[in-house]
Amino acid sequence: MIFEVVERFENSSPSLRELSCQLVSDKVVEAIWKGTLNFQSIYIPEPVERAIREWLEVLPPLLQQDLLDLTARGILRSAARITPYNSSTIPIIIASLVEVLYSANMNAIEIWTDLHWNQEARMKILHLLHSRKSGIKKMVYSCYKTPVFQFQELHFSERFLLMNILNKFPALKILVMPYVADDDLLAKLGGGSCPSLEQLNVEGSWGVTNQGLSALAGQDGGMVIGRAGWVPSHFAQCSEGQKLLGNILKGSPVTASQITSLMSQHNEKMNMLKTFKYLNINGTSTDHRGLECVLQNFRNLKQLDSEEKNWQNLLVNSECSDCYPKNLPLESLNLSQHSFQLLPHIFRLFPNVKKLNINNFSRSESYLDGTDNLILLQNFSNLGELSLTDVDLDGVYGHLSNPNVGVRLHTFRYTGRLKLVKVESLAKACPNLKLLSLSNSVMS
């Protein structure tokens, strides 16, 4: 078995705190290996565990967190020299180490990728996290980020623990759970188990659907009224939806305005609707209807990662002016194809984007009809990064010379098929550039 340990090296000299943590972690690793060899056990022996606890219990939680990360890497780094141990035993020792060094007052916890092949090790850590309430703000399940979990379901007991662990972390702000999340998990979060959640990453999770995204917003994902995909929040802000709902409820004691009032009260009570800022749903079973639901509910969202086809379908089908909140703070879109034609829709829905990618548009219908959508670049007041691919720059320099465009740019990327790039013209139009990237092009 080959162990790979990736470490980051800083150019500057390490601080006294970093040196001290490294030395202490080396001592802990030495004590663990010596104890397990002496006791011929794949678990940390009780005398060794007790000695490490007594040695480290007086340290502040942040130092304990640094020691936990460094010691786990130290065990992996030195494992190749310890011949009695293999890939099935190392994760057990790491899990036992977490039981010794874990503190409910830590700021973050990561369940390492190296535990993905051993369910017993993962269950030891999950039981530990479930055993007490904690103020941890960041939780990363790196152990599930492997293709293995894309094609097989978790055992019921492990999934049950993952769901109920959320009750123990009311202060959680960042949750990374790739490949194994599902609609039930999103409904749990939408039910208020982590009211301060700001970032959620469930990429690669096939069990996440549009209904799960609706449940994340605290709504019944199974409730669809009228046109397929419309959820209750839609009728609180869409005049067309209110008219349709009024026709559906004709003769009923319940009116459309009462439902609108109820949804408005719900939005005021749901704290996560105000705090949520980042969502990654790449590789899930969602489509553009799911994006629509997310954008309608989470009005402070700054980054939403999804497949490009979903973004294109969303923009093409976004005619209703009442469906989305005004001035959404979203900063970037995963969109490169047909972005020239979609610029009017992008500006209408997402005027605060900071990055734009534009591909060859000289053969697009808009361009051939004489429409120059590049003039809209001056309306993106926060635009700082522009990437162009296979575009004739002769018609672009004039737009970059506009002080509302070129002066704001700090990053410019260009990829062309041996096309000419006038660097001097770029420098004059964009005096504040910090990064200029040119690929497959000729500079003059």
Side-chain angles (χ1 to χ4, degrees), residues 182-184 186-187 207-217 221:
D182 57 16
D183 287 351
D184 291 335
L186 298 191
V208 172
T209 68
N210 294 345
Q211 291 190 357
L213 296 179
S214 177
L216 180 65

Side-chain angles (χ1 to χ4, degrees), residues 236 256-269:
S257 59
Q258 288 176 323
I259 292 183
T260 301
S261 176
L262 183 64
M263 291 309 306
S264 299
Q265 293 174 15
H266 164 78
N267 291 344
E268 292 176 2
K269 294 178 181 178

Side-chain angles (χ1 to χ4, degrees), residues 378-420:
Q378 64 182 341
N379 297 330
F380 293 94
S381 58
N382 295 323
L383 185 64
E385 182 174 329
L386 182 62
S387 299
L388 303 179
T389 301
D390 197 22
V391 172
D392 289 325
L393 288 178
D394 290 338
V396 177
Y397 293 124
H399 294 289
L400 295 180
S401 299
N402 187 322
N404 291 325
V405 180
V407 174
R408 294 170 178 166
L409 294 181
H410 56 74
T411 301
F412 183 85
R413 294 184 173 89
Y414 181 78
T415 302
R417 300 176 182 177
L418 299 178
K419 292 187 177 181
L420 186 65

Side-chain angles (χ1 to χ4, degrees), residues 12 16 22 28 71 96 123 136 162 202 231 278 290 292 337 341 348 367 372 388 408 410 419 429 444:
S12 58
L16 181 60
Q22 185 63 61
V28 173
T71 307
S96 300
M123 291 295 286
I136 283 179
L162 278 175
V202 293
V231 292
Y278 170 80
E292 180 180 305
Q337 300 294 326
Q341 298 96 302
R348 178 167 56 84
Y367 186 78
D372 187 2
L388 303 179
R408 294 170 178 166
H410 56 74
K419 292 187 177 181
S444 68

Side-chain angles (χ1 to χ4, degrees), residues 97-129:
L97 169 70
V98 176
E99 290 180 323
V100 176
L101 295 180
Y102 174 73
S103 168
N105 296 319
M106 286 181 173
N107 189 56
I109 185 75
E110 178 179 4
I111 305 180
W112 301 278
T113 308
D114 309 276
L115 292 139
H116 77 268
W117 62 73
N118 194 301
Q119 185 188 19
E120 181 184 354
R122 295 197 306 272
M123 291 295 286
K124 282 171 69 71
I125 297 181
L126 292 179
H127 278 293
L128 174 66
L129 296 176

Side-chain angles (χ1 to χ4, degrees), residues 60-116:
L62 289 179
L63 285 179
Q64 291 183 3
Q65 183 173 331
D66 289 343
L67 287 174
L68 176 59
D69 294 334
L70 288 169
T71 307
R73 289 203 297 266
I75 287 178
L76 289 169
R77 188 169 52 242
S78 58
R81 302 195 299 268
I82 312 298
T83 53
Y85 296 90
N86 55 45
S87 61
S88 63
T89 56
I90 297 298
I92 299 295
I93 294 177
I94 293 178
S96 300
L97 169 70
V98 176
E99 290 180 323
V100 176
L101 295 180
Y102 174 73
S103 168
N105 296 319
M106 286 181 173
N107 189 56
I109 185 75
E110 178 179 4
I111 305 180
W112 301 278
T113 308
D114 309 276
L115 292 139
H116 77 268

Side-chain angles (χ1 to χ4, degrees), residues 308-323:
E308 179 164 355
K309 63 177 182 179
N310 294 338
W311 282 113
Q312 291 189 4
N313 289 334
L314 172 77
L315 291 167
V316 169
N317 295 283
S318 61
E319 297 90 354
C320 179
S321 58
D322 298 328
C323 287

